[in-house]
Amino acid sequence: MVETRDDPPQVEDGSLLARFKPLSQRGWSEVWQGPLLLAGLAVFILGLYHAAPTQTVHDFAGRLDDIEHLLNASKGEEAMEVINQLQPYLPEMEPKDVGRFWQYSGDARHMRLRVASLVPLRTDAAQSFRQLIVACYAKAQEAGRVLPPASIRRLAQAYAELHRTKDAVALIDQFEFPWQRCNLLRDLIQQQLNRDDHGDLDTLTSLTQRFQDELRAELDPQRRRQQAIWIARLEAVILRSHGDIDGAIGLLLRRLQQLDIDSEDRNDLAPLYILLAQAYQAAGGMDDARRYFETAHRMLDERDGLMAQVLTGLAQLT
């Protein structure tokens, strides 16, 4: 039979096992290294945490709101500063923010172009700037941005100034209301007249006809009257500039008859009566010229800037 014992095995003095002591039996001088190593490890891990690169969260929508507010306050240069700061982060933006970014880029550049001291309008630099405006709006649309009416109008103006009239006219139907379409057509007509060759007659005829079509759809009577007076003046000037004085006289007589019926207050027709008097004067109809100059004189306030034309015309007839 094998004899069992409950006593622990005896360890000879000097053996490795004999030199081992439980922590509870050790003094501080034997265990101080442990806490120090643990503290060092903690500091090392904390250092790695702080040294690791962190992902910065950008408030792109908020910055784009800032740009919008600057543009609404006509602070184009300040808006461009923020735009330039944001541009490096375009790859991180969502498509909707990319669309806003490029629309505001086009808006700010258009605003800057209108400041003649920064970019003279009739230079190669200005044309390059207009190309950039068109490119900005194209990128906005590629990102899914639906351009608001103000931006569409600016894009059309850039097209017109680049002599891309067909592209400009193609934007007209994107406007919801007749008055918006009329305003754009006014821009296009005026830009044609501002050209060195004073515009192509066929193009001007087409634009003025389209303007008349849109004007018939205008429901606001005051707005319709103001636009009708403007287009009548313009058509008369175009006819006279191309040597058709009789055509200008006939057009003005017809327009004045129509506009006289539309309103009891006729004083806003003074510019048309002045043009009619000048046309009769150019055609040799001095009596008719005097009659219509006098009609305009009765309509105008003495301080009105048009009064000088009336007084000059009457003096030439004496």
Side-chain angles (χ1 to χ4, degrees):
M1 173 178 276
V2 179
E3 185 177 351
T4 61
R5 298 178 59 181
D6 295 330
D7 298 333
Q10 299 296 315
V11 180
E12 297 180 5
D13 292 341
S15 69
L16 181 61
L17 188 60
R19 291 197 297 270
F20 176 79
K21 295 181 182 179
L23 289 175
S24 61
Q25 298 178 14
R26 294 187 179 193
W28 174 251
S29 62
E30 297 180 86
V31 298
W32 64 269
Q33 302 94 334
L36 186 63
L37 288 172
L38 289 174
L41 181 61
V43 171
F44 177 72
I45 293 172
L46 188 63
L48 288 178
Y49 173 79
H50 285 290
T54 57
Q55 185 176 4
T56 304
V57 178
H58 296 285
D59 182 16
F60 294 126
R63 295 297 280 159
L64 289 167
D65 288 342
D66 293 340
I67 296 171
E68 184 178 8
H69 294 150
L70 289 169
L71 291 171
N72 290 338
S74 299
K75 297 180 178 179
E77 286 301 302
E78 294 179 34
M80 279 304 308
E81 290 179 9
V82 183
I83 287 168
N84 291 333
Q85 293 169 7
L86 275 183
Q87 188 155 1
Y89 299 99
L90 274 172
E92 301 177 32
M93 293 185 193
E94 296 182 5
K96 64 178 182 179
D97 291 333
V98 172
R100 288 183 70 192
F101 173 88
W102 285 117
Q103 180 209 312
Y104 296 158
S105 296
D107 293 342
R109 286 177 169 87
H110 184 276
M111 190 176 295
R112 189 181 182 199
L113 187 63
R114 286 295 175 265
V115 181
S117 61
L118 294 178
V119 184
L121 295 181
R122 292 178 178 271
T123 64
D124 291 339
Q127 290 298 79
S128 297
F129 217 71
R130 292 181 180 105
Q131 294 280 12
L132 185 56
I133 291 170
V134 170
C136 287
Y137 287 134
K139 290 178 181 178
Q141 291 174 315
E142 288 171 5
R145 180 75 172 173
V146 177
L147 296 179
S151 296
I152 296 174
R153 188 174 179 181
R154 292 171 185 137
L155 175 58
Q157 289 171 347
Y159 276 142
E161 289 162 351
L162 289 167
H163 307 310
R164 296 172 58 177
T165 306
K166 290 183 179 179
D167 290 325
V169 171
L171 297 174
I172 293 174
D173 291 330
Q174 294 190 29
F175 289 98
E176 181 179 0
F177 301 107
W179 66 266
Q180 294 173 318
R181 297 192 287 272
C182 283
N183 284 341
L184 177 55
L185 284 160
R186 281 184 67 155
D187 291 340
L188 301 183
I189 292 168
Q190 196 60 58
Q191 284 160 0
Q192 280 284 318
L193 295 173
N194 290 342
R195 288 171 49 171
D196 293 334
D197 60 359
H198 303 297
D200 174 70
L201 183 57
D202 290 339
T203 301
L204 283 169
T205 301
S206 175
L207 290 173
T208 54
Q209 183 58 56
R210 177 68 185 271
F211 185 93
Q212 295 281 10
D213 293 341
E214 296 297 342
L215 190 57
R216 281 189 281 273
E218 175 58 63
L219 299 179
D220 184 275
Q222 184 61 29
R223 191 182 290 149
R224 185 173 59 247
R225 182 177 177 82
Q226 291 171 351
Q227 297 281 37
I229 293 172
W230 179 85
I231 194 62
R233 291 179 66 182
L234 184 75
E235 288 179 311
V237 169
I238 292 173
L239 288 170
R240 280 203 60 184
S241 67
H242 287 84
D244 190 358
I245 298 176
D246 290 339
I249 292 173
L251 179 139
L252 286 167
L253 289 171
R254 290 193 302 274
R255 296 286 188 271
L256 284 166
Q257 184 178 17
Q258 294 165 358
L259 290 164
D260 265 342
I261 296 172
D262 289 344
S263 175
E264 295 180 1
D265 182 10
R266 302 169 61 243
N267 290 349
D268 56 356
L269 300 179
L272 298 186
Y273 279 107
I274 293 172
L275 284 175
L276 181 58
Q278 291 169 339
Y280 271 119
Q281 186 179 16
M286 301 309 175
D287 291 339
D288 287 324
R290 180 177 289 103
R291 179 157 57 97
Y292 290 120
F293 273 132
E294 290 172 350
T295 300
H297 188 279
R298 290 192 295 271
M299 292 178 171
L300 293 173
D301 185 275
E302 290 295 333
R303 294 166 293 181
D304 196 300
L306 292 174
M307 185 62 77
Q309 295 184 44
V310 172
L311 297 177
T312 299
L314 287 171
Q316 291 172 344
L317 294 174
T318 57

